[in-house]
Structure formats: C-alpha cells, structure tokens
Amino acid sequence: DDEEGNQCVTGCITYPNSDTDDDSDCLFPDNIKNQIHYLFQKLTHAISNPQAPMMIFLDDLHWADKESLDLLTSLITDVGHLGMDADLDRRCVCFVATYRYNEGTNRRVEKCVHAIENSNVSQVTYLNLDGMGEQGTNAMISDALKLPTRLTRPLSDVVRKKTLGNPFYVKIFMAMLSEENCLKYSLKERRWIWNIDDIHQRSMIQDLALVLAQKLLRLPDEVQDALTFVSCFGRSVHRDVLEITTETESCAVISDRCLVLAVEERILEKSGETYTFPHDLIQQAAYERVSKEKTRIIHFHIGLQILMKAVFTGHVDPFSPLSFIGIEQITKADDFELKNSELRISLSELLLRVGRRAIRTAAFPSALTYLEKGISFLGDNGWDLNHELCLHLHESACQAVYLNALPARVSTYMDIIMSHTEDFMDQIKCHHISMKTLATTGKVREAIDNFFHVMKELKEEFPSNMAPMTIFSSLSATKNKLEKYSSEGILSIPRMLDKGK
C-alpha cells in the first residue's frame, strides 16, 4: 500500500481508493471481477510476447478456490495475449497445472478445464501421470543407490508392487526400509545392500497419510509439537514469522534443534529461510496429530502474537502479507472468547478494514469470513460496547452476503440493524442492498415499493402513478439542464456532503 491507500499487486496493478468508507460501487460483483481479470490480463500481456514466451506453472490445482479458477479461465481464454496479428507466432504463454484426479475438489478443476476447451481459444493437452513402470522405478532406485540397474531390478520390482509405482510413495518406502535396516550401506562391500525377503514382508502402502502419521510418532515429542506448530501456517513458513510467534511461553515449541532434526528426517525442507513440507499429505498428518481444540488454540495465539507485535504497534501495514497471516490465523481459531474489551475492539476494527478491502478486490468469501469474525469478537454486547463499529460491521457483512449470492441472509442482517438503530440514515445502506437483492431475485415489484418507501423517508415525494408523457417531460427537462455541462465538468463536481440526498 502507498500513502494514498492504493493497493499494489506484484507492483504493477492498483486498486484506487480501496480503503475508503464509500463502498457503493461494490454492489456490482461482476464489474469488480471483470476489472480484476482485466488487470491481470494486462499484466500477462506486458510480460510476455513471442520473442520472450512465458510459462505459468500451477501446482496442486485441486486446492484452488472458485475465484482463482475463474481468474485462470479468464487468463487462458483471453485472446488478447495471443496476439491478433496473423504474422506473429501466437503461442507465447503456456499454462501448466497439476492436480490429483482422486480429490473431492477436482470437479471445480474439471469444470474450469472444460470451459477452456469449449472456448476453442487454447489447446488443452492432458498428461495422465500414473505410477511409474518397471523401467522407471528401477531407474529411480538405481540412481538413488548409485548401483547398476541390473543389480537393483529385484529390489525395484518389489518396491513397485508395494507402492504402485507412485514416485512419492517410492521415496517414502525406501526411507522406511533404511530406517528399519532392511536397506543399509555396507562398508565391507562399499555399496547399499538389502534383504529381499524382509522387504517382501512389508505392507503395501495404501494409506500414505497413515504411514506419515506413524513416521511422525517415531520422532521426539518436542519435534512433533514443532511440526504441528509449523503445519498451522500451511505448506510453508518463513523463519522470521516463526521467530515472531514463538517468543512467548504459550507458543514456545520451536527450537533450532527441532527444525534441524525435522529437515534431517526429510519431514521438512529448507530453502533459504523458508521451511516447507515436501508434500501436502505430510503437512496434513502433522496438523491432524492433535485435537481440533488444540489447533484452534495454536491458531489463535499465532495470530494474536503477529497482530500484537507487528500490526497494532504500527511496525507493519495492516494490509501487508504478515498482517494477513495473522488475520488468517485468527479466523481459523473459530469461536475464541476474549475478555479484554480493548483488544476485542482493535481486532474487530482491523477485520472491518480488511473485510472492506477484500470486497473491493472481489474476494467475497474471504470478506464475509473476516466481517463475521469481527462481529463475533464484539460478542453479544457489541452494540453497547461500540455501536458505530458494530453498525459498520453488520452493514459490510450484509453487503458481503449479497455479493456471495446469499439473499436469504441479507434479511437476517437487515433485521439485526433495524432492531438496533433508530436513525433512518443508519439503515439506508441496508435498504440499498435490499433493493439490489430483490431485483436480482426477480422480485422487481417489491424492490420498487422499497424504493418509494426510502424516497418518502428522505422527503423526496414521487407520484404513485406516472404517465409516460410525465416521465418523458421530466427526462427532457433534466437533459436540457445538463446540456451546458461537459462530461468532464460533471465528473469534476464535488460529491454532496448531505447523506440524505
């Protein structure tokens, strides 16, 4: 963010005035989404051309949410980046994505791929990566053990049957054989040796998550606790973030020795100052080794430490990546009760700001999560604790449920606001959202009636029955008044300060 409140995406894309309280333009979700897609398309155009082609690789696409897949579809089906000049080689951008076909979330991915295929704009090529064959498995093991393929073939045949040729399973299975001394290095023969009969007795790897969980249980308790802590950040985490969150007694489970041992055991990989789980199933196994109640507490303390030490002290911008790490951790803590009123208000104010920012960047599901979390922090006495903050949170949450296509919940938030406010101007935004909801759900007559009710409350009387000629004459009169103004002149006129108008 710069000093004027413009948010930058990869240093190239800006969303002007995205931190203002005026969010009336955000009631058109398709317009916001199209703007985001257009900006990313322009970014793609700027950094790729036939002389300098670009490849974008997306791993684990089965974890992508709907908004990300919509953006991907928009980028691929955008003909602009292909070039419209017939003399140019149009193949300058290549998208490569991987996903597991047996994941429950792959329906969204398949729908995305089908939309790309049906567009007839880009060519889609499928590469079905099944398990390795006998030759591939033998080559992998031969390379790992530094032995000729003729010597490793008996071992590779058994390993392939136990792992179905899955490269990651092969890696895990070979590590298990080494740990159990079924596969060991002989100083006498100066090469790796194994007992093929013992390996035959080993169970086939069918549930990798169970195997990994068993592997974790063989580690010291403090290392297991450290891995669970790291897994709460997701697939990877930077060392600086760990240092911020492990300086208190409640979070003191990380030590250099634990991290070093985890890397040595190949449970973690270290690249620079970033620790990464080599596979999402390993991260899942570390995360699920403790109860949900325990992980909820860990999430909350991580988020609170980041926000207290970095954001609330002013050392970090509220919309920085570090701030969002803290906010995401807080939202994952579910219903965590706080007794400190000042802290509850500070967290709710921050969640209101990021919720509004999320709306302006078309991250509607995240916006609703942030805003509802902010409401929950204020608790049952939120209206008495901070009436204005509670009103803004409910207004923005009402807007977020509309943008998430949840019309039934719009009335819920409207009822809450109506029951806690007496000033009609505190209710005007909800009426605006209500009219939009009624119109988009086909209840046009009710939306019109609501409009007339609002106009009456604002002392703007409209005749109930207007003839077409009356409407035409009014429009003509308005047009005549505007003829002396240019478009630029109209746009330069200051906004009215009277909210009732």
Side-chain angles (χ1 to χ4, degrees):
D1 292 19
D2 60 24
E3 296 179 353
E4 298 179 0
N6 298 324
Q7 183 186 22
C8 296
V9 178
T10 63
C12 300
I13 302 175
T14 60
Y15 301 98
N17 304 320
S18 57
D19 196 28
T20 64
D21 290 338
D22 181 17
D23 48 12
S24 58
D25 294 337
C26 293
L27 292 179
F28 304 93
D30 289 338
N31 291 350
I32 301 174
K33 181 188 295 185
N34 292 338
Q35 182 187 28
I36 302 294
H37 291 185
Y38 173 76
L39 292 171
F40 273 95
Q41 288 167 4
K42 296 295 289 183
L43 175 64
T44 306
H45 300 174
I47 61 179
S48 66
N49 58 68
Q51 289 72 39
M54 176 177 65
M55 184 180 77
I56 299 177
F57 178 73
L58 305 168
D59 195 15
D60 287 337
L61 200 62
H62 46 271
W63 295 119
D65 57 16
K66 182 180 182 299
E67 289 72 23
S68 300
L69 292 175
D70 288 344
L71 174 59
L72 176 63
T73 304
S74 174
L75 288 174
I76 296 177
T77 58
D78 169 39
V79 297
H81 76 276
L82 298 176
M84 300 308 295
D85 190 338
D87 296 332
L88 291 177
D89 183 359
R90 298 183 177 185
R91 296 170 297 177
C92 58
V93 181
C94 176
F95 291 86
V96 179
T98 65
Y99 69 96
R100 290 202 293 269
Y101 63 87
N102 58 345
E103 288 290 334
T105 55
N106 68 341
R107 294 179 182 176
R108 292 198 301 264
V109 178
E110 292 174 352
K111 183 178 179 180
C112 169
V113 175
H114 291 330
I116 295 170
E117 286 183 307
N118 294 335
S119 69
N120 296 320
V121 172
S122 301
Q123 178 181 353
V124 178
T125 302
Y126 291 92
L127 298 175
N128 189 16
L129 302 180
D130 289 325
M132 297 183 295
E134 295 178 0
Q135 184 176 355
T137 306
N138 192 27
M140 178 179 177
I141 294 177
S142 171
D143 181 70
L145 302 182
K146 306 302 180 185
L147 291 173
T149 54
R150 59 182 177 81
L151 295 180
T152 58
R153 185 168 299 281
L155 173 62
S156 67
D157 289 343
V158 178
V159 171
R160 181 174 176 273
K161 292 177 182 178
K162 299 294 183 181
T163 62
L164 300 179
N166 185 304
F168 186 66
Y169 285 25
V170 170
K171 182 179 178 180
I172 295 295
F173 190 73
M174 293 290 287
M176 292 170 54
L177 294 179
S178 177
E179 293 169 0
E180 298 171 5
N181 283 327
C182 293
L183 175 68
K184 56 187 177 181
Y185 189 81
S186 171
L187 294 175
K188 181 179 179 180
E189 299 186 32
R190 292 191 294 182
R191 72 176 185 88
W192 288 90
I193 61 174
W194 55 87
N195 188 320
I196 199 70
D197 293 330
D198 287 345
I199 297 175
H200 270 293
Q201 301 302 318
R202 293 290 176 268
S203 300
M204 180 178 177
I205 294 184
Q206 293 179 323
D207 188 345
L208 182 59
L210 178 61
V211 173
L212 295 173
Q214 293 173 345
K215 181 179 177 65
L216 290 175
L217 291 175
R218 292 196 291 267
L219 297 172
D221 290 343
E222 61 177 338
V223 179
Q224 294 184 48
D225 292 339
L227 289 170
T228 299
F229 188 87
V230 173
S231 70
C232 288
F233 291 93
R235 185 76 179 271
S236 63
V237 62
H238 196 277
R239 184 181 181 83
D240 291 344
V241 179
L242 291 177
E243 291 179 351
I244 293 176
T245 56
T246 57
E247 294 176 359
T248 63
E249 185 178 350
S250 60
C251 295
V253 297
I254 299 291
S255 68
D256 288 338
R257 192 178 69 84
C258 292
L259 295 174
V260 169
L261 183 56
V263 172
E264 290 176 349
E265 293 292 327
R266 296 183 293 276
I267 299 295
L268 285 177
E269 294 178 350
K270 185 179 181 183
S271 176
E273 294 298 317
T274 300
Y275 292 93
T276 304
F277 287 97
H279 198 280
D280 54 355
L281 288 178
I282 298 180
Q283 183 260 335
Q284 179 182 343
Y287 186 79
E288 295 179 350
R289 61 171 287 273
V290 298
S291 65
K292 291 183 178 180
E293 177 66 20
K294 178 66 175 177
T295 55
R296 186 170 69 90
I297 294 173
I298 295 174
H299 279 304
F300 181 79
H301 282 297
I302 290 174
L304 190 60
Q305 286 300 311
I306 292 175
L307 297 179
M308 291 287 288
K309 294 181 180 181
V311 181
F312 293 156
T313 58
H315 294 157
V316 174
D317 188 272
F319 303 112
S320 67
L322 180 60
S323 174
F324 273 98
I325 291 175
I327 292 169
E328 288 294 334
Q329 293 293 321
I330 287 288
T331 56
K332 290 179 180 178
D334 295 331
D335 298 327
F336 201 96
E337 296 184 3
L338 280 176
K339 296 182 179 180
N340 188 316
S341 297
E342 292 183 3
L343 180 58
R344 288 161 56 192
I345 292 174
S346 296
L347 289 172
S348 296
E349 288 176 339
L350 177 62
L351 288 165
L352 173 62
R353 293 186 66 188
V354 298
R356 285 174 167 174
R357 175 65 62 90
I359 288 176
R360 291 194 167 277
T361 55
F364 305 134
S366 297
L368 182 57
T369 300
Y370 298 148
L371 294 166
E372 290 185 332
K373 189 64 178 178
I375 292 173
S376 71
F377 274 132
L378 291 180
D380 296 334
N381 66 333
W383 291 94
D384 297 326
L385 183 64
N386 192 316
H387 187 277
E388 183 178 3
L389 175 59
C390 205
L391 172 62
H392 291 326
L393 280 166
H394 281 80
E395 284 178 343
S396 296
C398 185
Q399 179 185 1
V401 295
Y402 163 73
L403 294 171
N404 279 285
L406 301 171
R409 295 181 59 185
V410 171
S411 59
T412 301
Y413 279 104
M414 279 199 65
D415 292 341
I416 295 174
I417 293 174
M418 297 296 181
S419 63
H420 288 88
T421 57
E422 296 181 359
D423 188 348
F424 185 76
M425 294 311 302
D426 289 339
Q427 305 169 0
I428 192 70
K429 287 187 177 181
C430 284
H431 282 293
H432 185 195
I433 297 170
S434 175
M435 284 185 277
K436 295 289 297 182
T437 303
L438 291 171
T440 55
T441 54
K443 301 177 181 179
V444 180
R445 185 68 260 175
E446 293 182 38
I448 295 174
D449 292 341
N450 196 350
F451 167 78
F452 282 120
H453 166 70
V454 171
M455 290 296 103
K456 185 176 180 180
E457 291 290 334
L458 295 176
K459 311 303 181 185
E460 296 288 345
E461 295 291 340
F462 279 77
S464 57
N465 296 313
M466 290 184 289
M469 286 304 299
T470 303
I471 297 174
F472 178 78
S473 61
S474 297
L475 290 175
S476 298
T478 302
K479 182 179 179 181
N480 292 333
K481 290 180 180 179
L482 294 176
E483 281 183 346
K484 60 181 179 180
Y485 297 100
S486 64
S487 299
E488 293 76 9
I490 295 175
L491 292 174
S492 64
I493 297 175
R495 290 193 177 200
M496 288 189 295
L497 299 178
D498 185 356
K499 293 183 178 180
K501 298 297 181 180

